[in-house]
Amino acid sequence: YKSERRLETTSDAMKIILLSLVLSLSIVGAIPVNPMDSARDRAKLLVSNMTMDEKLVLVSGVKSPYVGSTAAIPKWKIPPLYLQDGPQGVGDGLKQVTFWPCTLAAVSSWDTKLMYKYAQAIGWEQKVKGVNIHLGPMVNIARIPTGGRNFESFGEDPHLSSAMVVPYVQGVQSNGIMATVKHFVDNNQELNRTLTSANVPQRAQWEIYYPAFKAAVDAGVASAMCSYNRINDSYACENDQTLNKDLKNRMGFKGFVMSDWFATHSTERAANNGLDQEMPDGQYFSAKLKAAIQKGTVPTSRLDDMAIRVLTAAYAVGIMNTPPSGNPNANARNSTHDILSRTIAIQSTVLLKNNGTLPLSSSYKKIALVGDDATKPRAGGDGSGMVMPPYVISPLQGITNRVAGKASVKAIGSSEPSKAAQFASQADVAIVFVSVSSTEGADRKTLSLGAQNDKLIDAVSKAQPNTIVVVFGPGAVLMPFEPKVPAIIMSMYPGQECGNAIASILFGDYNPSGKLPVTFPVSDSQFPASSPKSYPGVNNEASYSEGLLVGYRWYDQSQVNPLFPFGHGLSYTQFTYSNLAFTFPSNSIVQFSFTVNNTGSVQGSEVAQLYLGFPKEVGEPPQVLKGFQKVNLNPNQSAQLTINVPRTQFSVWNVVSNNWQDTKGDYTVFVGSSSRDIRLKTTFSL
């Protein structure tokens, strides 16, 4: 404390002016290729002249109209930091914002350009509301199919999550505000999340649970949020291994780590082990942290590092040049975002099954809509990420508008299946709309849609052979009715344009192109971590004993057939694959090329997926996703696609050397339309 560097009182004014000039030499709103590097130099210069009390302002929260904030430091022209949820739009009860499709829906598009637009629009609305730290993306792997926050996630696969989180981070931060990658790390269940220790093998940590965070770091994410859970018996927000050694040192993260709300458990341990900012208050990082520094149990250099990291992030995205100008009551909506919301809902819709019933025939003059969700759809999840909808277009509204009086569209609720069946039997086609809720703070107890919904679908399908089922949900659900109905559509919570989007798919105005980012099991027990020791854990100890066998990897290893596989999604047209080849254009890349042809009669988009089979002795799952590409083709049009796989993707984690290890041997490449619909295969050696 005594050695802390201070400005001389007699020259304070002049030095503040000079420092302000030096520190403002950045381009407003521009993000350089490596923004953290130059930003850190400016942050170090400023922090070297700040008092201890000024530094402490940056590392703990204060009350404000936002869910989290830090106070301004006018002397140094440091603006307040205003934090707000969430991953799928402006949350925490703020109004006049877009009710977007959930993040898992956007991921279901498998479209990186669309993901950028989604995140850019969300970030823009946050900025209009005065927010400069957006609390998203949420990249925890969907290890448990019933996970309460899976709808906020990027799915079950680390490569898909990594590929999609990069444009998300870039999109949000293009607005001159911070993105926050969360929840670091292993927050894969909501049940007992504040008590459970996720006991994760080192190889699984690096190959399954870390990659999306590393991708966010490489994309320049400004901040990270540590999670509620313990990791190998140490709380995530005071875990030296995960925060200091892995995130900051090995991954090279130069931004700052904030706690999840009230997830700080100590002062010395948390500060010394890598936590940079306590939220939403200063119970541990205000007076107690000051006392610990004065006592010497937390070095002054550590407080400097905490403050430098916060300011590095602020400089990197441009916050220091553009203080918040919006306010929580501002109207952040516009028609462009309404259209984009509809586009994302359409392109994320997954056609799970179709025996020729879809698209709907113009000869259908009587359309029966069945289920409470036909008039009041469940279009989003609950919790801190919940968005207040300005409106929600119901399926009844959307379909009625689409037919424009050329067909009769009537709806009936879910309460009496027998009446609903009679109602449906009098129509040309019946569309049953069902949903299931999901929320932060609790996992679903079952993947079932509920006995009432199952009875409803069963009764209607018996009375009406042309029965289509549309599910609004947070991820995987059970579908005991699958053999009984000719068509099933899955719409991950689609947001405010729900009804318009589903009408566009039903009538073929848009050809469905969504693909599943999670596997759909046949039963509640058909997933790898289904034993009590693995989930929810015994005595608050959850064993990740499945290791690398998460999601489709377990199904492939176990040779078990899911209800619908990872990457699955049908189209109203057909695609063929041919001419798979590979080259080695450099020592750092393996290049794969192949041809996709639209052999059907309508335009459509296909997501071609590339999976890699490692040499058997390496101990990897049978196949792992390493690339994908989405292409739109007219009838009879073909395109040659190229997927470059960096040589780093052929490495595996070696627990002995504690590092990545290049692998040599015979590889198999699988290319297809899903993890279980492989169209091309070849082998090569490294």
Side-chain angles (χ1 to χ4, degrees):
Y1 177 70
K2 290 181 180 179
S3 64
E4 185 185 23
R5 190 173 173 183
R6 294 178 178 274
L7 291 171
E8 294 294 333
T9 305
T10 55
S11 59
D12 272 0
M14 182 57 70
K15 288 192 176 181
I16 289 171
I17 292 171
L18 290 173
L19 274 171
S20 297
L21 288 172
V22 173
L23 297 170
S24 64
L25 293 178
S26 60
I27 302 171
V28 176
I31 302 179
V33 176
N34 294 305
M36 292 293 187
D37 293 335
S38 59
R40 185 171 176 83
D41 292 337
R42 283 172 279 162
K44 288 172 70 174
L45 178 60
L46 177 52
V47 169
S48 70
N49 288 285
M50 292 172 66
T51 67
M52 175 186 288
D53 288 336
E54 288 168 344
K55 297 169 194 174
L56 288 167
V57 168
L58 297 173
V59 302
S60 61
V62 295
K63 290 184 178 180
S64 79
Y66 300 93
V67 72
S69 65
T70 63
I73 307 177
K75 173 181 173 182
W76 297 113
K77 297 184 179 180
I78 299 174
L81 298 178
Y82 292 141
L83 296 69
Q84 198 75 4
D85 288 299
Q88 55 204 359
V90 182
D92 304 306
L94 296 189
K95 299 179 180 180
Q96 294 183 298
V97 298
T98 304
F99 180 31
W100 297 96
C102 69
T103 308
L104 193 63
V107 174
S108 300
S109 72
W110 292 57
D111 188 328
T112 55
K113 292 180 180 178
L114 190 64
M115 177 61 82
Y116 180 90
K117 293 178 181 179
Y118 172 73
Q120 185 180 48
I122 291 173
W124 185 88
E125 293 192 12
Q126 291 279 29
K127 191 169 185 177
V128 170
K129 288 292 190 179
V131 175
N132 51 21
I133 300 183
H134 168 70
L135 300 178
M138 197 289 268
V139 297
N140 295 121
I141 290 292
R143 173 183 181 248
I144 307 299
T146 53
R149 300 185 79 169
N150 284 357
F151 67 92
E152 297 181 45
S153 80
F154 283 65
E156 71 184 30
D157 181 74
H159 180 82
L160 177 62
S161 299
S162 299
M164 297 296 275
V165 78
V166 170
Y168 188 109
V169 168
Q170 293 172 339
V172 169
Q173 294 190 172
S174 70
N175 294 282
I177 70 171
M178 299 186 205
T180 305
V181 65
K182 64 182 188 181
H183 308 85
F184 196 76
V185 62
D186 307 323
N187 188 178
N188 309 110
Q189 65 188 65
E190 289 298 286
L191 180 60
N192 299 329
R193 66 179 181 178
T194 63
L195 302 173
T196 298
S197 175
N199 299 327
V200 187
Q202 187 186 104
R203 184 171 177 179
Q205 191 74 286
W206 281 98
E207 294 191 26
I208 302 293
Y209 302 102
Y210 275 173
F213 289 97
K214 179 61 165 64
V217 170
D218 291 343
V221 72
S223 60
M225 181 191 294
C226 52
S227 51
Y228 286 114
N229 55 286
R230 292 178 294 139
I231 304 156
N232 297 324
D233 291 324
S234 177
Y235 278 110
C237 289
E238 55 184 41
N239 193 306
D240 179 60
Q241 181 66 50
T242 57
L243 295 180
N244 282 334
K245 295 177 181 177
D246 294 345
L247 178 63
K248 293 181 177 180
N249 293 338
R250 192 180 286 271
M251 294 188 203
F253 178 57
K254 294 182 175 66
F256 71 97
V257 178
M258 70 177 75
S259 72
D260 206 334
W261 270 227
F262 304 106
T264 308
H265 293 272
S266 64
T267 298
E268 288 89 347
R269 283 195 310 275
N272 291 329
N273 290 346
L275 180 63
D276 300 306
Q277 186 184 79
E278 178 185 6
M279 279 291 154
D281 56 21
Q283 180 182 356
Y284 295 100
F285 273 21
S286 186
K288 290 181 181 179
L289 181 55
K290 183 175 182 178
I293 294 169
Q294 291 172 329
K295 191 168 57 175
T297 54
V298 175
T300 300
S301 60
R302 176 63 187 118
L303 177 61
D304 288 346
D305 180 56
M306 295 159 74
I308 288 169
R309 286 178 172 276
V310 173
L311 292 175
T312 295
Y315 276 119
V317 301
I319 288 173
M320 294 294 284
N321 302 311
T322 55
S325 57
N327 69 82
N329 298 318
N331 182 7
R333 291 188 55 227
N334 61 57
S335 58
T336 300
H337 286 187
D338 293 342
I339 294 170
L340 179 59
S341 177
R342 184 190 300 191
T343 299
I344 295 167
I346 290 170
Q347 294 197 27
S348 64
T349 301
V350 183
L351 179 61
L352 294 177
K353 179 179 181 179
N354 185 25
N355 289 345
T357 305
L358 292 173
L360 292 175
S361 170
S362 59
S363 65
Y364 291 157
K365 300 303 179 183
K366 294 182 179 180
I367 301 173
L369 308 185
V370 180
D372 294 341
D373 284 279
T375 53
K376 293 182 179 180
R378 192 188 307 276
D382 296 325
S384 62
M386 183 180 71
V387 177
M388 297 294 290
Y391 66 86
V392 176
I393 302 295
S394 71
L396 176 60
Q397 290 173 290
I399 293 170
T400 299
N401 292 339
R402 170 59 178 77
V403 301
K406 296 180 181 179
S408 169
V409 181
K410 295 182 179 180
I412 190 172
S414 307
S415 59
E416 298 184 61
S418 59
K419 286 188 177 181
Q422 184 179 8
F423 175 79
S425 69
Q426 299 170 0
D428 297 318
V429 62
I431 310 170
V432 184
F433 294 90
V434 292
S435 70
V436 64
S437 64
S438 192
T439 184
E440 176 186 1
D443 293 330
R444 288 184 282 158
K445 294 181 179 179
T446 174
L447 293 173
S448 172
L449 289 166
Q452 184 68 18
N453 282 330
D454 288 344
K455 289 179 182 178
L456 180 70
I457 296 169
D458 185 61
V460 172
S461 63
K462 287 178 179 177
Q464 172 56 262
N466 293 326
T467 294
I468 300 158
V469 176
V470 177
V471 181
F472 303 128
V477 296
L478 301 183
M479 297 183 176
F481 51 82
E482 185 273 331
K484 306 173 187 176
V485 298
I488 304 172
I489 290 174
M490 183 69 203
S491 179
M492 307 296 178
Y493 294 142
Q496 65 187 34
E497 285 288 325
C498 170
N500 287 331
I502 204 67
S504 295
I505 294 294
L506 288 168
F507 287 94
D509 302 330
Y510 290 90
N511 196 343
S513 61
K515 299 281 188 175
L516 291 179
V518 292
T519 304
F520 277 41
V522 171
S523 68
D524 273 324
S525 61
Q526 195 197 51
F527 71 98
S530 58
S531 71
K533 287 185 178 180
S534 296
Y535 173 79
V538 176
N539 297 323
N540 295 321
E541 300 283 337
S543 171
Y544 282 47
S545 57
E546 72 279 4
L548 305 179
L549 301 180
V550 177
Y552 69 91
R553 300 163 181 238
W554 175 82
Y555 288 85
D556 292 344
Q557 180 74 29
S558 305
Q559 298 183 356
V560 172
N561 291 323
L563 178 64
F564 294 110
F566 174 82
H568 172 72
L570 303 177
S571 171
Y572 294 150
T573 191
Q574 297 82 42
F575 299 97
T576 60
Y577 289 65
S578 60
N579 304 323
L580 175 60
F582 61 88
T583 60
F584 301 91
S586 72
N587 291 331
S588 60
I589 289 176
V590 181
Q591 187 174 85
F592 300 93
S593 63
F594 51 92
T595 301
V596 177
N597 184 29
N598 181 351
T599 59
S601 58
V602 295
Q603 184 186 58
S605 294
E606 171 70 327
V607 179
Q609 302 159 42
L610 186 150
Y611 297 84
L612 186 65
F614 280 74
K616 290 184 179 180
E617 59 271 18
V618 174
E620 287 289 296
Q623 58 177 9
V624 293
L625 182 72
K626 291 296 181 180
F628 61 90
Q629 191 170 337
K630 191 169 189 175
V631 61
N632 185 269
L633 297 171
N634 292 317
N636 299 315
Q637 182 184 9
S638 64
Q640 185 180 47
L641 305 186
T642 299
I643 296 178
N644 293 323
V645 181
R647 286 291 294 268
T648 54
Q649 292 293 309
F650 294 84
S651 300
V652 299
W653 187 260
N654 187 310
V655 298
V656 177
S657 64
N658 191 34
N659 210 338
W660 292 103
Q661 174 183 310
D662 292 335
T663 57
K664 296 181 179 180
D666 297 327
Y667 290 83
T668 304
V669 175
F670 308 90
V671 175
S673 189
S674 82
S675 63
R676 289 294 178 97
D677 185 7
I678 300 301
R679 310 291 183 86
L680 302 171
K681 184 171 71 170
T682 191
T683 59
F684 67 97
S685 298
L686 286 178

